[in-house]
Amino acid sequence: MQIKKTDCTPANPDIVNNAAPKMPDMKILYELSDFFKVMGDSTRIQLLWALDINQMCVSDLAFLLNMTKSAVSHQLKILRTAKLVRATKKGKNVYYSLDDDHVKTILEKALEHTSE
């Protein structure tokens, strides 16, 4: 990462010089920001929690969360695009689950942090 010129001088140049090469690329930080925007919606968090418990189809999720199937489908599309959930077709139904253990860990750590 290249340090840009600012209108100030660091109070601790050694700390800044040590931190600068460890900073992720801005593209990665923007992607991380987008990830948290997707996670920052209360409806999507409810869906993720439900899917943390068990895989479910749209009808099950809609009933559990007192939502319309259309609203659930819309939010699931956003979660699929963000690679937070995956869909598996079984017979006539499509079942959704968390995409991987990383999503489960992030949810659980976030709850642990907010519960402190």
Side-chain angles (χ1 to χ4, degrees):
M1 177 177 164
Q2 185 170 3
I3 302 226
K4 296 178 182 174
K5 299 290 182 194
T6 65
D7 63 350
C8 65
T9 304
N12 301 285
D14 292 341
I15 292 172
V16 172
N17 290 333
N18 182 45
K22 297 175 184 172
M23 292 293 294
D25 183 71
M26 283 305 295
K27 182 180 183 232
I28 292 171
L29 291 174
Y30 283 126
E31 289 172 5
L32 183 60
S33 175
D34 290 343
F35 168 81
F36 280 109
K37 286 177 189 172
V38 171
M39 295 284 284
D41 179 89
S42 60
T43 299
R44 291 191 285 267
I45 288 291
Q46 288 180 66
L47 288 166
L48 291 170
W49 276 112
L51 296 175
D52 185 35
I53 297 166
N54 202 62
Q55 69 176 355
M56 294 186 207
C57 65
V58 171
S59 297
D60 294 341
L61 288 163
F63 185 84
L64 177 66
L65 302 177
N66 194 28
M67 296 172 59
T68 65
K69 290 191 287 185
S70 174
V72 168
S73 293
H74 174 73
Q75 296 302 329
L76 287 170
K77 181 179 180 187
I78 294 168
L79 292 170
R80 277 194 329 267
T81 301
K83 298 179 183 163
L84 296 173
V85 300
R86 72 176 103 146
T88 307
K89 188 161 175 106
K90 293 184 181 177
K92 292 191 252 177
N93 289 324
V94 177
Y95 287 87
Y96 294 86
S97 59
L98 297 181
D99 191 62
D100 59 30
D101 286 338
H102 294 112
V103 179
K104 181 180 182 71
T105 300
I106 291 166
L107 285 171
E108 291 171 355
K109 289 295 181 184
L111 179 64
E112 182 181 318
H113 176 74
T114 57
S115 298
E116 288 179 350

